[in-house]
Amino acid sequence: KKDFIQSSNVPFSKNFWLAMIGPVLFTLGNSSETFLLLRALDLGASPVKCILLYAFFNAASSIASYPAGILSDRHGRWPVLATGWGLFAVSYAGFATLGRDSSWLIWALFGLTGVSSACTEGAARAMVVDYAPRVRLASALGLLGFLQGAGALIASVVAGILWSHGRPEIAFWLGSGFAVAALVVLPWAPRGSAPASR
């Protein structure tokens, strides 16, 4: 019990908090994937096509997850996260501007969003492990989950309000904008890994 109390008092470092900024900013624009399906319906996709699009999204995310993890281990978390944020920004800008006569392009956008998910989810958790004190890894991951959940809730509520006012494209522009904001703060993210004594 004494060891538990002592470990819970170990503070998170400045680098840890700096490392959290980008992923949390990104989450503020990462609304529920349900809105991707609603957008597809708005653009004339049938319910069956929406199911296939969602399956394609999940397949792309699953296939890309392991290679993204390997790249994260070899080249660092930030290049993989930046790739995911960049792909997300492009795909959400595409969803904002897509017309009903571009039904083939929606497949590419769902695929890009799936690859983006593969790049961001695992690398963000690994980044937390890199910068959190070893005795507080569970707390750090829980904090990341809380902040990401809160950000996604805010993003989804805002997207829902915009949708109800007939402005779905603004919701996607916001998502793209927050991904770009995460990229903008990337130069201030810490480099390397946490100190050896944790």
Side-chain angles (χ1 to χ4, degrees):
K1 184 176 180 180
K2 181 180 179 181
D3 289 342
F4 171 77
I5 294 173
Q6 288 177 342
S7 65
S8 65
N9 290 329
V10 175
F12 293 124
S13 68
K14 178 182 177 181
N15 278 351
F16 171 82
W17 292 113
L18 287 173
M20 293 283 278
I21 294 174
V24 172
L25 266 178
F26 167 71
T27 306
L28 287 169
N30 190 9
S31 55
S32 169
E33 284 115 20
T34 302
F35 292 106
L36 301 181
L37 300 177
L38 288 175
R39 186 62 169 158
L41 286 170
D42 285 348
L43 295 172
S46 67
V48 171
K49 184 176 180 180
C50 287
I51 293 172
L52 294 175
L53 285 167
Y54 191 59
F56 183 58
F57 164 86
N58 282 294
S61 179
S62 298
I63 292 169
S65 289
Y66 186 61
I70 292 174
L71 291 173
S72 175
D73 288 336
R74 288 182 179 176
H75 303 291
R77 317 304 180 199
W78 297 117
V80 176
L81 282 169
T83 300
W85 296 339
L87 291 175
F88 186 93
V90 170
S91 64
Y92 266 51
F95 279 114
T97 57
L98 197 64
R100 295 178 69 91
D101 57 343
S102 303
S103 60
W104 66 270
L105 188 55
I106 199 168
W107 289 96
L109 294 179
F110 267 84
L112 279 179
T113 311
V115 175
S116 166
S117 176
C119 290
T120 56
E121 290 183 6
R125 287 191 287 269
M127 176 275 300
V128 167
V129 172
D130 286 343
Y131 292 104
R134 190 175 303 278
V135 293
R136 296 199 65 190
L137 288 183
S139 298
L141 289 168
L143 178 62
L144 176 68
F146 167 73
L147 292 175
Q148 287 183 323
L153 176 61
I154 293 169
S156 296
V157 169
V158 171
I161 292 171
L162 290 169
W163 220 283
S164 67
H165 286 82
R167 303 306 301 269
E169 70 281 358
I170 297 180
F172 288 104
W173 280 123
L174 281 174
S176 181
F178 275 108
V180 171
L183 287 169
V184 168
V185 303
L186 196 56
W188 288 272
R191 295 298 185 264
S193 55
S197 70
R198 298 191 295 166

PDB file of all heavy atoms in Angstrom, residues 124-162:
ATOM      1  N   ALA A 124      -0.318   6.690 -30.580  1.00  0.00           N
ATOM      2  CA  ALA A 124      -0.628   7.599 -29.475  1.00  0.00           C
ATOM      3  C   ALA A 124      -0.461   6.888 -28.131  1.00  0.00           C
ATOM      4  O   ALA A 124       0.105   7.451 -27.183  1.00  0.00           O
ATOM      5  CB  ALA A 124      -2.047   8.138 -29.620  1.00  0.00           C
ATOM      6  N   ARG A 125      -0.937   5.655 -28.045  1.00  0.00           N
ATOM      7  CA  ARG A 125      -0.774   4.915 -26.790  1.00  0.00           C
ATOM      8  C   ARG A 125       0.691   4.606 -26.513  1.00  0.00           C
ATOM      9  O   ARG A 125       1.160   4.681 -25.373  1.00  0.00           O
ATOM     10  CB  ARG A 125      -1.608   3.637 -26.827  1.00  0.00           C
ATOM     11  CG  ARG A 125      -3.102   3.884 -26.688  1.00  0.00           C
ATOM     12  CD  ARG A 125      -3.853   2.590 -26.470  1.00  0.00           C
ATOM     13  NE  ARG A 125      -3.920   1.792 -27.673  1.00  0.00           N
ATOM     14  CZ  ARG A 125      -4.892   1.848 -28.571  1.00  0.00           C
ATOM     15  NH1 ARG A 125      -5.885   2.704 -28.406  1.00  0.00           N
ATOM     16  NH2 ARG A 125      -4.887   1.072 -29.633  1.00  0.00           N
ATOM     17  N   ALA A 126       1.439   4.242 -27.568  1.00  0.00           N
ATOM     18  CA  ALA A 126       2.868   3.969 -27.392  1.00  0.00           C
ATOM     19  C   ALA A 126       3.618   5.222 -26.963  1.00  0.00           C
ATOM     20  O   ALA A 126       4.551   5.153 -26.152  1.00  0.00           O
ATOM     21  CB  ALA A 126       3.450   3.417 -28.691  1.00  0.00           C
ATOM     22  N   MET A 127       3.201   6.372 -27.489  1.00  0.00           N
ATOM     23  CA  MET A 127       3.827   7.634 -27.112  1.00  0.00           C
ATOM     24  C   MET A 127       3.641   7.901 -25.624  1.00  0.00           C
ATOM     25  O   MET A 127       4.561   8.340 -24.928  1.00  0.00           O
ATOM     26  CB  MET A 127       3.237   8.769 -27.949  1.00  0.00           C
ATOM     27  CG  MET A 127       3.723  10.160 -27.610  1.00  0.00           C
ATOM     28  SD  MET A 127       2.798  10.930 -26.247  1.00  0.00           S
ATOM     29  CE  MET A 127       1.137  10.965 -26.905  1.00  0.00           C
ATOM     30  N   VAL A 128       2.459   7.625 -25.104  1.00  0.00           N
ATOM     31  CA  VAL A 128       2.202   7.808 -23.680  1.00  0.00           C
ATOM     32  C   VAL A 128       3.117   6.919 -22.855  1.00  0.00           C
ATOM     33  O   VAL A 128       3.690   7.352 -21.842  1.00  0.00           O
ATOM     34  CB  VAL A 128       0.718   7.511 -23.361  1.00  0.00           C
ATOM     35  CG1 VAL A 128       0.500   7.379 -21.866  1.00  0.00           C
ATOM     36  CG2 VAL A 128      -0.163   8.626 -23.911  1.00  0.00           C
ATOM     37  N   VAL A 129       3.287   5.683 -23.290  1.00  0.00           N
ATOM     38  CA  VAL A 129       4.184   4.769 -22.588  1.00  0.00           C
ATOM     39  C   VAL A 129       5.621   5.300 -22.618  1.00  0.00           C
ATOM     40  O   VAL A 129       6.371   5.159 -21.644  1.00  0.00           O
ATOM     41  CB  VAL A 129       4.106   3.360 -23.209  1.00  0.00           C
ATOM     42  CG1 VAL A 129       5.167   2.443 -22.625  1.00  0.00           C
ATOM     43  CG2 VAL A 129       2.708   2.761 -22.988  1.00  0.00           C
ATOM     44  N   ASP A 130       5.998   5.931 -23.709  1.00  0.00           N
ATOM     45  CA  ASP A 130       7.360   6.472 -23.827  1.00  0.00           C
ATOM     46  C   ASP A 130       7.638   7.573 -22.807  1.00  0.00           C
ATOM     47  O   ASP A 130       8.748   7.666 -22.285  1.00  0.00           O
ATOM     48  CB  ASP A 130       7.591   7.044 -25.225  1.00  0.00           C
ATOM     49  CG  ASP A 130       7.753   5.968 -26.285  1.00  0.00           C
ATOM     50  OD1 ASP A 130       8.015   4.807 -25.912  1.00  0.00           O
ATOM     51  OD2 ASP A 130       7.617   6.294 -27.474  1.00  0.00           O
ATOM     52  N   TYR A 131       6.656   8.406 -22.539  1.00  0.00           N
ATOM     53  CA  TYR A 131       6.904   9.617 -21.752  1.00  0.00           C
ATOM     54  C   TYR A 131       6.336   9.580 -20.336  1.00  0.00           C
ATOM     55  O   TYR A 131       6.619  10.476 -19.545  1.00  0.00           O
ATOM     56  CB  TYR A 131       6.366  10.847 -22.496  1.00  0.00           C
ATOM     57  CG  TYR A 131       7.145  11.136 -23.748  1.00  0.00           C
ATOM     58  CD1 TYR A 131       6.629  10.826 -24.999  1.00  0.00           C
ATOM     59  CD2 TYR A 131       8.426  11.675 -23.676  1.00  0.00           C
ATOM     60  CE1 TYR A 131       7.360  11.059 -26.150  1.00  0.00           C
ATOM     61  CE2 TYR A 131       9.163  11.911 -24.823  1.00  0.00           C
ATOM     62  CZ  TYR A 131       8.628  11.606 -26.060  1.00  0.00           C
ATOM     63  OH  TYR A 131       9.362  11.835 -27.195  1.00  0.00           O
ATOM     64  N   ALA A 132       5.550   8.583 -20.011  1.00  0.00           N
ATOM     65  CA  ALA A 132       4.987   8.500 -18.660  1.00  0.00           C
ATOM     66  C   ALA A 132       5.959   7.804 -17.719  1.00  0.00           C
ATOM     67  O   ALA A 132       6.738   6.942 -18.139  1.00  0.00           O
ATOM     68  CB  ALA A 132       3.667   7.731 -18.688  1.00  0.00           C
ATOM     69  N   PRO A 133       5.942   8.157 -16.448  1.00  0.00           N
ATOM     70  CA  PRO A 133       6.740   7.406 -15.466  1.00  0.00           C
ATOM     71  C   PRO A 133       6.298   5.942 -15.457  1.00  0.00           C
ATOM     72  O   PRO A 133       5.102   5.649 -15.524  1.00  0.00           O
ATOM     73  CB  PRO A 133       6.405   8.094 -14.139  1.00  0.00           C
ATOM     74  CG  PRO A 133       5.868   9.424 -14.504  1.00  0.00           C
ATOM     75  CD  PRO A 133       5.179   9.257 -15.824  1.00  0.00           C
ATOM     76  N   ARG A 134       7.248   5.045 -15.366  1.00  0.00           N
ATOM     77  CA  ARG A 134       6.913   3.622 -15.443  1.00  0.00           C
ATOM     78  C   ARG A 134       5.893   3.211 -14.381  1.00  0.00           C
ATOM     79  O   ARG A 134       5.039   2.366 -14.626  1.00  0.00           O
ATOM     80  CB  ARG A 134       8.184   2.775 -15.300  1.00  0.00           C
ATOM     81  CG  ARG A 134       7.984   1.294 -15.596  1.00  0.00           C
ATOM     82  CD  ARG A 134       9.291   0.551 -15.545  1.00  0.00           C
ATOM     83  NE  ARG A 134      10.266   1.098 -16.470  1.00  0.00           N
ATOM     84  CZ  ARG A 134      10.309   0.792 -17.775  1.00  0.00           C
ATOM     85  NH1 ARG A 134       9.407  -0.029 -18.279  1.00  0.00           N
ATOM     86  NH2 ARG A 134      11.232   1.306 -18.554  1.00  0.00           N
ATOM     87  N   VAL A 135       5.987   3.811 -13.191  1.00  0.00           N
ATOM     88  CA  VAL A 135       5.080   3.427 -12.113  1.00  0.00           C
ATOM     89  C   VAL A 135       3.686   4.012 -12.296  1.00  0.00           C
ATOM     90  O   VAL A 135       2.781   3.706 -11.513  1.00  0.00           O
ATOM     91  CB  VAL A 135       5.645   3.863 -10.737  1.00  0.00           C
ATOM     92  CG1 VAL A 135       6.903   3.092 -10.409  1.00  0.00           C
ATOM     93  CG2 VAL A 135       5.896   5.373 -10.707  1.00  0.00           C
ATOM     94  N   ARG A 136       3.502   4.849 -13.346  1.00  0.00           N
ATOM     95  CA  ARG A 136       2.184   5.454 -13.562  1.00  0.00           C
ATOM     96  C   ARG A 136       1.670   5.215 -14.976  1.00  0.00           C
ATOM     97  O   ARG A 136       0.873   6.010 -15.500  1.00  0.00           O
ATOM     98  CB  ARG A 136       2.247   6.952 -13.262  1.00  0.00           C
ATOM     99  CG  ARG A 136       2.566   7.278 -11.815  1.00  0.00           C
ATOM    100  CD  ARG A 136       2.179   8.703 -11.469  1.00  0.00           C
ATOM    101  NE  ARG A 136       0.749   8.897 -11.540  1.00  0.00           N
ATOM    102  CZ  ARG A 136       0.170  10.109 -11.476  1.00  0.00           C
ATOM    103  NH1 ARG A 136       0.910  11.196 -11.352  1.00  0.00           N
ATOM    104  NH2 ARG A 136      -1.139  10.231 -11.546  1.00  0.00           N
ATOM    105  N   LEU A 137       2.080   4.123 -15.584  1.00  0.00           N
ATOM    106  CA  LEU A 137       1.662   3.847 -16.956  1.00  0.00           C
ATOM    107  C   LEU A 137       0.148   3.684 -17.071  1.00  0.00           C
ATOM    108  O   LEU A 137      -0.474   4.204 -17.996  1.00  0.00           O
ATOM    109  CB  LEU A 137       2.361   2.586 -17.474  1.00  0.00           C
ATOM    110  CG  LEU A 137       3.850   2.703 -17.787  1.00  0.00           C
ATOM    111  CD1 LEU A 137       4.373   1.394 -18.353  1.00  0.00           C
ATOM    112  CD2 LEU A 137       4.117   3.850 -18.751  1.00  0.00           C
ATOM    113  N   ALA A 138      -0.441   2.956 -16.140  1.00  0.00           N
ATOM    114  CA  ALA A 138      -1.889   2.747 -16.198  1.00  0.00           C
ATOM    115  C   ALA A 138      -2.636   4.071 -16.053  1.00  0.00           C
ATOM    116  O   ALA A 138      -3.616   4.332 -16.765  1.00  0.00           O
ATOM    117  CB  ALA A 138      -2.331   1.762 -15.113  1.00  0.00           C
ATOM    118  N   SER A 139      -2.166   4.920 -15.142  1.00  0.00           N
ATOM    119  CA  SER A 139      -2.798   6.236 -14.972  1.00  0.00           C
ATOM    120  C   SER A 139      -2.658   7.073 -16.228  1.00  0.00           C
ATOM    121  O   SER A 139      -3.598   7.766 -16.642  1.00  0.00           O
ATOM    122  CB  SER A 139      -2.167   6.977 -13.792  1.00  0.00           C
ATOM    123  OG  SER A 139      -2.364   6.273 -12.583  1.00  0.00           O
ATOM    124  N   ALA A 140      -1.483   7.015 -16.852  1.00  0.00           N
ATOM    125  CA  ALA A 140      -1.247   7.804 -18.060  1.00  0.00           C
ATOM    126  C   ALA A 140      -2.140   7.337 -19.205  1.00  0.00           C
ATOM    127  O   ALA A 140      -2.734   8.157 -19.925  1.00  0.00           O
ATOM    128  CB  ALA A 140       0.219   7.704 -18.458  1.00  0.00           C
ATOM    129  N   LEU A 141      -2.256   6.030 -19.380  1.00  0.00           N
ATOM    130  CA  LEU A 141      -3.125   5.511 -20.437  1.00  0.00           C
ATOM    131  C   LEU A 141      -4.587   5.824 -20.151  1.00  0.00           C
ATOM    132  O   LEU A 141      -5.363   6.125 -21.064  1.00  0.00           O
ATOM    133  CB  LEU A 141      -2.911   4.004 -20.583  1.00  0.00           C
ATOM    134  CG  LEU A 141      -1.573   3.597 -21.205  1.00  0.00           C
ATOM    135  CD1 LEU A 141      -1.329   2.106 -21.043  1.00  0.00           C
ATOM    136  CD2 LEU A 141      -1.518   3.984 -22.680  1.00  0.00           C
ATOM    137  N   GLY A 142      -4.953   5.756 -18.862  1.00  0.00           N
ATOM    138  CA  GLY A 142      -6.316   6.127 -18.496  1.00  0.00           C
ATOM    139  C   GLY A 142      -6.597   7.596 -18.771  1.00  0.00           C
ATOM    140  O   GLY A 142      -7.681   7.963 -19.236  1.00  0.00           O
ATOM    141  N   LEU A 143      -5.607   8.453 -18.501  1.00  0.00           N
ATOM    142  CA  LEU A 143      -5.759   9.876 -18.773  1.00  0.00           C
ATOM    143  C   LEU A 143      -5.906  10.132 -20.263  1.00  0.00           C
ATOM    144  O   LEU A 143      -6.758  10.924 -20.689  1.00  0.00           O
ATOM    145  CB  LEU A 143      -4.553  10.639 -18.218  1.00  0.00           C
ATOM    146  CG  LEU A 143      -4.528  12.150 -18.465  1.00  0.00           C
ATOM    147  CD1 LEU A 143      -5.718  12.831 -17.807  1.00  0.00           C
ATOM    148  CD2 LEU A 143      -3.219  12.746 -17.953  1.00  0.00           C
ATOM    149  N   LEU A 144      -5.074   9.453 -21.071  1.00  0.00           N
ATOM    150  CA  LEU A 144      -5.200   9.592 -22.519  1.00  0.00           C
ATOM    151  C   LEU A 144      -6.589   9.159 -22.981  1.00  0.00           C
ATOM    152  O   LEU A 144      -7.229   9.846 -23.786  1.00  0.00           O
ATOM    153  CB  LEU A 144      -4.133   8.766 -23.225  1.00  0.00           C
ATOM    154  CG  LEU A 144      -4.223   8.760 -24.760  1.00  0.00           C
ATOM    155  CD1 LEU A 144      -3.895  10.133 -25.324  1.00  0.00           C
ATOM    156  CD2 LEU A 144      -3.293   7.705 -25.356  1.00  0.00           C
ATOM    157  N   GLY A 145      -7.066   8.020 -22.466  1.00  0.00           N
ATOM    158  CA  GLY A 145      -8.391   7.542 -22.843  1.00  0.00           C
ATOM    159  C   GLY A 145      -9.484   8.519 -22.471  1.00  0.00           C
ATOM    160  O   GLY A 145     -10.418   8.761 -23.248  1.00  0.00           O
ATOM    161  N   PHE A 146      -9.355   9.119 -21.270  1.00  0.00           N
ATOM    162  CA  PHE A 146     -10.353  10.103 -20.830  1.00  0.00           C
ATOM    163  C   PHE A 146     -10.358  11.330 -21.739  1.00  0.00           C
ATOM    164  O   PHE A 146     -11.413  11.788 -22.193  1.00  0.00           O
ATOM    165  CB  PHE A 146     -10.068  10.524 -19.391  1.00  0.00           C
ATOM    166  CG  PHE A 146     -10.830  11.744 -18.964  1.00  0.00           C
ATOM    167  CD1 PHE A 146     -12.197  11.672 -18.706  1.00  0.00           C
ATOM    168  CD2 PHE A 146     -10.193  12.971 -18.842  1.00  0.00           C
ATOM    169  CE1 PHE A 146     -12.904  12.801 -18.331  1.00  0.00           C
ATOM    170  CE2 PHE A 146     -10.891  14.101 -18.463  1.00  0.00           C
ATOM    171  CZ  PHE A 146     -12.260  14.023 -18.203  1.00  0.00           C
ATOM    172  N   LEU A 147      -9.162  11.870 -22.024  1.00  0.00           N
ATOM    173  CA  LEU A 147      -9.081  13.077 -22.845  1.00  0.00           C
ATOM    174  C   LEU A 147      -9.539  12.804 -24.278  1.00  0.00           C
ATOM    175  O   LEU A 147     -10.229  13.635 -24.884  1.00  0.00           O
ATOM    176  CB  LEU A 147      -7.652  13.613 -22.836  1.00  0.00           C
ATOM    177  CG  LEU A 147      -7.162  14.170 -21.491  1.00  0.00           C
ATOM    178  CD1 LEU A 147      -5.691  14.551 -21.572  1.00  0.00           C
ATOM    179  CD2 LEU A 147      -8.003  15.372 -21.058  1.00  0.00           C
ATOM    180  N   GLN A 148      -9.177  11.645 -24.800  1.00  0.00           N
ATOM    181  CA  GLN A 148      -9.624  11.312 -26.143  1.00  0.00           C
ATOM    182  C   GLN A 148     -11.135  11.093 -26.186  1.00  0.00           C
ATOM    183  O   GLN A 148     -11.801  11.514 -27.138  1.00  0.00           O
ATOM    184  CB  GLN A 148      -8.894  10.063 -26.649  1.00  0.00           C
ATOM    185  CG  GLN A 148      -7.440  10.299 -27.000  1.00  0.00           C
ATOM    186  CD  GLN A 148      -6.766   9.072 -27.561  1.00  0.00           C
ATOM    187  OE1 GLN A 148      -7.039   7.948 -27.135  1.00  0.00           O
ATOM    188  NE2 GLN A 148      -5.872   9.263 -28.501  1.00  0.00           N
ATOM    189  N   GLY A 149     -11.673  10.452 -25.153  1.00  0.00           N
ATOM    190  CA  GLY A 149     -13.111  10.246 -25.100  1.00  0.00           C
ATOM    191  C   GLY A 149     -13.871  11.557 -24.986  1.00  0.00           C
ATOM    192  O   GLY A 149     -14.886  11.770 -25.665  1.00  0.00           O
ATOM    193  N   ALA A 150     -13.364  12.458 -24.144  1.00  0.00           N
ATOM    194  CA  ALA A 150     -14.003  13.769 -23.994  1.00  0.00           C
ATOM    195  C   ALA A 150     -13.918  14.555 -25.297  1.00  0.00           C
ATOM    196  O   ALA A 150     -14.889  15.195 -25.721  1.00  0.00           O
ATOM    197  CB  ALA A 150     -13.340  14.546 -22.856  1.00  0.00           C
ATOM    198  N   GLY A 151     -12.742  14.496 -25.953  1.00  0.00           N
ATOM    199  CA  GLY A 151     -12.586  15.203 -27.220  1.00  0.00           C
ATOM    200  C   GLY A 151     -13.513  14.658 -28.289  1.00  0.00           C
ATOM    201  O   GLY A 151     -14.137  15.425 -29.044  1.00  0.00           O
ATOM    202  N   ALA A 152     -13.616  13.336 -28.374  1.00  0.00           N
ATOM    203  CA  ALA A 152     -14.499  12.723 -29.363  1.00  0.00           C
ATOM    204  C   ALA A 152     -15.957  13.061 -29.087  1.00  0.00           C
ATOM    205  O   ALA A 152     -16.748  13.260 -30.019  1.00  0.00           O
ATOM    206  CB  ALA A 152     -14.296  11.209 -29.379  1.00  0.00           C
ATOM    207  N   LEU A 153     -16.331  13.122 -27.800  1.00  0.00           N
ATOM    208  CA  LEU A 153     -17.701  13.491 -27.449  1.00  0.00           C
ATOM    209  C   LEU A 153     -18.007  14.918 -27.901  1.00  0.00           C
ATOM    210  O   LEU A 153     -19.049  15.189 -28.509  1.00  0.00           O
ATOM    211  CB  LEU A 153     -17.903  13.361 -25.942  1.00  0.00           C
ATOM    212  CG  LEU A 153     -19.270  13.809 -25.399  1.00  0.00           C
ATOM    213  CD1 LEU A 153     -20.386  12.970 -26.006  1.00  0.00           C
ATOM    214  CD2 LEU A 153     -19.298  13.712 -23.878  1.00  0.00           C
ATOM    215  N   ILE A 154     -17.077  15.827 -27.611  1.00  0.00           N
ATOM    216  CA  ILE A 154     -17.265  17.219 -28.034  1.00  0.00           C
ATOM    217  C   ILE A 154     -17.363  17.308 -29.554  1.00  0.00           C
ATOM    218  O   ILE A 154     -18.254  17.978 -30.105  1.00  0.00           O
ATOM    219  CB  ILE A 154     -16.113  18.094 -27.507  1.00  0.00           C
ATOM    220  CG1 ILE A 154     -16.173  18.185 -25.981  1.00  0.00           C
ATOM    221  CG2 ILE A 154     -16.160  19.489 -28.126  1.00  0.00           C
ATOM    222  CD1 ILE A 154     -14.938  18.808 -25.360  1.00  0.00           C
ATOM    223  N   ALA A 155     -16.453  16.619 -30.250  1.00  0.00           N
ATOM    224  CA  ALA A 155     -16.461  16.649 -31.711  1.00  0.00           C
ATOM    225  C   ALA A 155     -17.770  16.099 -32.272  1.00  0.00           C
ATOM    226  O   ALA A 155     -18.332  16.644 -33.234  1.00  0.00           O
ATOM    227  CB  ALA A 155     -15.278  15.840 -32.247  1.00  0.00           C
ATOM    228  N   SER A 156     -18.283  15.031 -31.674  1.00  0.00           N
ATOM    229  CA  SER A 156     -19.508  14.411 -32.169  1.00  0.00           C
ATOM    230  C   SER A 156     -20.725  15.284 -31.893  1.00  0.00           C
ATOM    231  O   SER A 156     -21.637  15.382 -32.730  1.00  0.00           O
ATOM    232  CB  SER A 156     -19.691  13.026 -31.542  1.00  0.00           C
ATOM    233  OG  SER A 156     -18.638  12.164 -31.939  1.00  0.00           O
ATOM    234  N   VAL A 157     -20.774  15.920 -30.722  1.00  0.00           N
ATOM    235  CA  VAL A 157     -21.893  16.815 -30.407  1.00  0.00           C
ATOM    236  C   VAL A 157     -21.904  17.991 -31.378  1.00  0.00           C
ATOM    237  O   VAL A 157     -22.956  18.366 -31.923  1.00  0.00           O
ATOM    238  CB  VAL A 157     -21.806  17.306 -28.945  1.00  0.00           C
ATOM    239  CG1 VAL A 157     -22.797  18.443 -28.705  1.00  0.00           C
ATOM    240  CG2 VAL A 157     -22.079  16.157 -27.985  1.00  0.00           C
ATOM    241  N   VAL A 158     -20.732  18.584 -31.611  1.00  0.00           N
ATOM    242  CA  VAL A 158     -20.647  19.713 -32.544  1.00  0.00           C
ATOM    243  C   VAL A 158     -21.048  19.274 -33.946  1.00  0.00           C
ATOM    244  O   VAL A 158     -21.811  19.972 -34.637  1.00  0.00           O
ATOM    245  CB  VAL A 158     -19.218  20.301 -32.542  1.00  0.00           C
ATOM    246  CG1 VAL A 158     -19.057  21.316 -33.664  1.00  0.00           C
ATOM    247  CG2 VAL A 158     -18.922  20.955 -31.198  1.00  0.00           C
ATOM    248  N   ALA A 159     -20.559  18.103 -34.373  1.00  0.00           N
ATOM    249  CA  ALA A 159     -20.920  17.600 -35.693  1.00  0.00           C
ATOM    250  C   ALA A 159     -22.426  17.361 -35.796  1.00  0.00           C
ATOM    251  O   ALA A 159     -23.052  17.669 -36.823  1.00  0.00           O
ATOM    252  CB  ALA A 159     -20.163  16.310 -35.993  1.00  0.00           C
ATOM    253  N   GLY A 160     -23.020  16.821 -34.730  1.00  0.00           N
ATOM    254  CA  GLY A 160     -24.460  16.589 -34.738  1.00  0.00           C
ATOM    255  C   GLY A 160     -25.258  17.882 -34.841  1.00  0.00           C
ATOM    256  O   GLY A 160     -26.266  17.955 -35.568  1.00  0.00           O
ATOM    257  N   ILE A 161     -24.817  18.905 -34.131  1.00  0.00           N
ATOM    258  CA  ILE A 161     -25.497  20.207 -34.203  1.00  0.00           C
ATOM    259  C   ILE A 161     -25.394  20.785 -35.613  1.00  0.00           C
ATOM    260  O   ILE A 161     -26.390  21.277 -36.179  1.00  0.00           O
ATOM    261  CB  ILE A 161     -24.892  21.182 -33.168  1.00  0.00           C
ATOM    262  CG1 ILE A 161     -25.227  20.708 -31.750  1.00  0.00           C
ATOM    263  CG2 ILE A 161     -25.411  22.608 -33.390  1.00  0.00           C
ATOM    264  CD1 ILE A 161     -24.510  21.478 -30.665  1.00  0.00           C
ATOM    265  N   LEU A 162     -24.198  20.719 -36.189  1.00  0.00           N
ATOM    266  CA  LEU A 162     -24.012  21.237 -37.545  1.00  0.00           C
ATOM    267  C   LEU A 162     -24.863  20.451 -38.544  1.00  0.00           C
ATOM    268  O   LEU A 162     -25.448  21.021 -39.474  1.00  0.00           O
ATOM    269  CB  LEU A 162     -22.532  21.166 -37.928  1.00  0.00           C
ATOM    270  CG  LEU A 162     -21.617  22.150 -37.197  1.00  0.00           C
ATOM    271  CD1 LEU A 162     -20.152  21.808 -37.441  1.00  0.00           C
ATOM    272  CD2 LEU A 162     -21.905  23.583 -37.658  1.00  0.00           C
TER     273      LEU A 162
END
